[in-house]
C-alpha cells in the first residue's frame, strides 16, 4: 500500500489543489484519487487535513442543465418549507428544531 505525500501547511508544490481551489478554477477532481495531503498542526487538538488533487488530471465542471436546476430549486424549497405550518420560512429550517422558529417558539396547545 503506497502512502500519500504529506506536506506542511502552505508548503504544497504547484500543480496540486483542494476541491474548493479546483472549483474556483472551474474544475472538478473527475474520479482521480487523492494525490497528496496537507497537514496543519493545532494545539491540543488533532491536526487539520486537506486532501490535494492534481490539477493536470482534473476535468471541467459539468454545466448546469435545466433539469438539474429544477431539481435543485425543488430541494431548496423543501428545505425552506415548515412541516408544521406549511409556509415558506424564507430560510432553511434548522434541523435542530425541525420546524420554523415561530412554530418552535409558540406554546404547544
Amino acid at each position: 500500500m503506497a502512502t500519500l505525500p504529506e506536506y506542511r501547511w502552505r508548503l504544497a508544490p504547484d500543480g496540486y489543489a483542494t476541491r474548493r481551489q479546483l472549483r474556483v478554477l472551474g474544475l472538478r477532481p473527475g474520479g482521480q484519487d487523492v494525490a497528496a495531503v496537507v497537514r496543519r498542526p493545532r494545539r491540543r487538538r488533532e491536526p487539520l487535513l486537506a486532501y490535494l488533487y492534481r490539477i493536470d488530471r482534473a476535468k471541467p465542471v459539468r454545466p448546469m442543465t435545466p433539469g438539474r436546476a429544477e431539481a435543485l430549486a425543488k430541494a431548496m424549497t423543501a428545505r425552506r418549507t415548515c412541516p408544521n405550518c406549511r409556509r415558506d420560512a424564507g430560510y432553511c429550517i434548522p434541523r435542530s428544531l425541525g420546524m420554523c422558529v415561530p412554530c418552535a417558539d409558540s406554546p404547544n396547545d
Side-chain angles (χ1 to χ4, degrees):
M1 180 173 154
T3 59
L4 294 173
E6 190 172 305
Y7 302 103
R8 290 191 55 110
W9 194 251
R10 298 186 186 268
L11 296 178
D14 292 336
Y16 291 99
T18 63
R19 282 182 178 267
R20 287 186 180 188
Q21 291 168 337
L22 287 176
R23 190 64 177 201
V24 169
L25 297 172
L27 301 170
R28 61 185 169 95
Q32 66 173 302
D33 291 331
V34 174
V37 177
V38 173
R39 183 179 295 265
R40 179 180 179 196
R42 299 190 297 176
R43 293 182 184 170
R44 299 186 197 104
R45 291 192 285 179
E46 293 290 321
L48 291 176
L49 296 177
Y51 299 112
L52 301 176
Y53 300 90
R54 302 249 328 244
I55 294 175
D56 59 343
R57 292 185 184 169
K59 296 180 180 177
V61 175
R62 294 184 185 122
M64 182 66 75
T65 63
R68 288 175 66 195
E70 184 179 339
L72 182 60
K74 284 182 181 178
M76 290 307 295
T77 300
R79 289 184 65 193
R80 294 166 51 116
T81 304
C82 176
N84 268 6
C85 62
R86 299 282 182 212
R87 287 186 289 183
D88 185 347
Y91 53 86
C92 290
I93 304 295
R95 291 179 62 190
S96 60
L97 297 177
M99 60 187 78
C100 65
V101 176
C103 287
D105 287 344
S106 66
N108 295 345
D109 291 331

